[in-house]
């Protein structure tokens, strides 16, 4: 699907209430209507543009709502605080629930890639009644990854540790050489299979390479390494698991996730007994929606049928 076709989706900035901030923030959305509702959540350092190869075709069968997460592209970018609560996945998940309520959807399915998968995971934990089916792309649970970090993971996902350094260190380093940073991120073994057009790169970099955008994305990762882990540990201590009726995980066979072993089995340990857990690897790296769009489209059709 071309950039122009994705841009033909209805564009709107939806006002949602932030509990942490005590005020409204605005979440940018692209929407195209059919039925039933499907929420698409992107990852880092990308935007809702990542769905450009499949969103149009999905909109022939679903009401597609593709948002920019809090802190990304045209969504608001709060400054953050020492606790990073403003970018907790609990806050970001609540944003998405309110967006779907704005469009009149009290129950919907979710597909989340990368950071969007982590927001989707928290959304299903905190708002189970709102989620029909959940698919995550190329992730394992955040707490599991931090607790099982080894040299392979630290070298492959080094940005998890770089972006969490005290501000404004990472921000200044990125902004001093944004093209070099993007290139370094993109040539990792797990990420280098994707081919971006000049239009794709403009769509991503125009949104990312601003002081506010870089800082917001650092806050996203700082939250993941702090308050999100607190929430995850509290949930584990209370025996909470994913209870969504159907859960599917798709990962890149050339990526980082299979290095941790049985991806489906690891997710099954985080799901309740009543959840039907499925999963498969694609012959791809990390950016599945852009590397294997046709396969992903068929997987989504089958999973949501």
């Amino acid at each position: 699907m071309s950039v122009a076709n994705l841009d033909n989706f209805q564009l709107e900035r939806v006002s949602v209430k932030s509990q942490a901030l005590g005020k409204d923030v605005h979440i940018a959305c692209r929407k195209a209507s059919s039925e039933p509702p499907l929420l698409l959540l992107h990852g880092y350092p990308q935007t809702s543009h990542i769905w450009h190869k499949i969103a149009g075709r999905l909109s022939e069968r679903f009401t597609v709502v593709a948002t920019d997460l809090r802190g990304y592209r045209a969504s608001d970018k709060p400054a953050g605080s020492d606790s990073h609560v403003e970018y907790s996945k609990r806050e970001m998940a609540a944003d998405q629930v309110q967006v779907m309520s704005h469009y009149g959807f009290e129950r919907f399915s979710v597909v989340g890639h990368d950071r969007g998968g982590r927001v989707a995971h928290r959304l299903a934990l905190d708002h189970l009644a709102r989620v029909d089916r959940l698919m995550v792309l190329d992730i394992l649970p955040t707490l599991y990854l931090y607790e099982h970090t080894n040299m392979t993971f630290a070298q492959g996902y080094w940005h998890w540790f770089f972006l969490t350094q005290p501000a404004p260190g990472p921000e200044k380093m990125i902004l001093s050489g944004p093209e070099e940073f993007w290139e370094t991120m993109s040539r990792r073994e797990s990420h280098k299979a994707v081919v971006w057009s000049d239009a794709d790169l403009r769509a991503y970099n125009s949104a990312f390479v601003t002081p506010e955008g870089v800082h917001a994305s650092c806050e996203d990762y700082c939250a993941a390494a702090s308050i999100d882990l607190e929430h995850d540990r509290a949930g584990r201590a209370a025996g909470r698991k994913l209870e969504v009726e159907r859960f599917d995980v798709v990962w890149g066979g050339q990526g980082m996730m299979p290095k941790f072993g049985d991806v489906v089995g690891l997710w099954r340990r985080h799901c309740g007994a009543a959840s039907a857990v499925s999963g498969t690897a694609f012959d791809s790296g990390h950016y599945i929606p852009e590397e294997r769009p046709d396969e992903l489209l068929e997987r989504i059709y089958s999973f949501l049928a």
Side-chain angles (χ1 to χ4, degrees):
M1 184 181 184
S2 71
V3 175
N5 284 337
L6 184 58
D7 284 345
N8 283 338
F9 275 44
Q10 174 190 334
L11 304 177
E12 184 176 2
R13 276 168 41 92
V14 176
S15 179
V16 301
K17 177 68 69 177
S18 167
Q19 183 175 353
L21 292 166
K23 64 179 183 180
D24 287 356
V25 297
H26 296 88
I27 302 299
C29 309
R30 308 180 198 244
K31 177 176 176 286
S33 295
S34 185
E35 286 291 342
L38 174 61
L39 175 63
L40 303 179
L41 301 177
H42 68 87
Y44 172 92
Q46 299 178 295
T47 69
S48 54
H49 177 74
I50 194 174
W51 311 107
H52 64 100
K53 292 185 177 181
I54 65 172
R57 286 178 285 174
L58 283 172
S59 71
E60 296 170 2
R61 301 192 188 187
F62 306 97
T63 294
V64 175
V65 179
T67 67
D68 295 314
L69 298 174
R70 181 188 297 201
Y72 291 83
R73 202 181 74 91
S75 291
D76 282 355
K77 302 170 180 63
S81 65
D82 289 344
S83 72
H84 310 296
V85 64
E86 299 83 1
Y87 288 87
S88 71
K89 302 309 159 292
R90 175 158 286 160
E91 275 279 302
M92 295 169 81
D95 291 345
Q96 304 305 318
V97 167
Q98 292 178 73
V99 165
M100 296 306 276
S101 292
H102 168 81
Y103 289 121
F105 302 126
E106 294 306 308
R107 190 168 172 83
F108 48 89
S109 294
V110 188
V111 177
H113 173 251
D114 187 81
R115 311 309 290 174
R118 303 187 189 285
V119 173
H121 182 193
R122 174 51 60 184
L123 195 161
L125 285 168
D126 287 359
H127 307 276
L128 175 62
R130 303 297 299 273
V131 179
D132 184 7
R133 300 179 186 185
L134 171 61
M135 177 186 287
V136 297
L137 307 180
D138 211 49
I139 69 165
L140 285 168
T142 306
L143 178 59
Y144 178 87
L145 290 175
Y146 271 120
E147 290 186 338
H148 293 81
T149 291
N150 54 26
M151 184 65 76
T152 299
F153 180 70
Q155 289 182 326
Y157 273 38
W158 56 268
H159 64 295
W160 278 40
F161 308 94
F162 167 66
L163 297 175
T164 59
Q165 299 306 304
E171 291 91 333
K172 286 185 175 181
M173 294 174 72
I174 293 169
L175 290 168
S176 70
E179 292 182 1
E180 291 81 0
F181 177 76
W182 187 278
E183 182 181 349
T184 301
M185 290 283 288
S186 301
R187 66 171 176 247
R188 291 173 290 166
E189 286 296 321
S190 56
H191 289 60
K192 68 180 185 180
V194 68
V195 176
W196 286 310
S197 69
D198 289 343
D200 295 330
L201 291 173
R202 285 194 298 272
Y204 291 135
N205 286 316
S206 64
F208 175 66
V209 186
T210 67
E212 298 79 11
V214 171
H215 177 67
S217 64
C218 289
E219 284 292 309
D220 177 7
Y221 279 84
C222 286
S226 57
I227 191 167
D228 288 346
L229 299 183
E230 294 176 19
H231 293 158
D232 290 344
R233 289 189 176 109
R236 181 171 64 186
R240 292 186 67 194
K241 294 189 174 185
L242 275 173
E243 301 290 349
V244 65
E245 181 179 342
R246 291 190 62 186
F247 174 87
D248 192 50
V249 55
V250 178
W251 65 96
Q254 302 166 26
M256 185 63 63
M257 297 309 110
K259 298 182 186 300
F260 285 89
D262 179 6
V263 175
V264 175
L266 289 170
W267 271 111
R268 189 170 282 119
R269 285 161 46 187
H270 289 79
C271 293
S275 294
V277 180
S278 57
T280 192
F282 285 179
D283 182 18
S284 74
H286 178 64
Y287 297 113
I288 294 169
E290 292 173 302
E291 295 178 49
R292 292 289 183 269
D294 293 336
E295 291 175 56
L296 179 59
L297 193 70
E298 290 305 316
R299 183 77 181 185
I300 294 172
Y301 286 159
S302 176
F303 179 63
L304 299 183

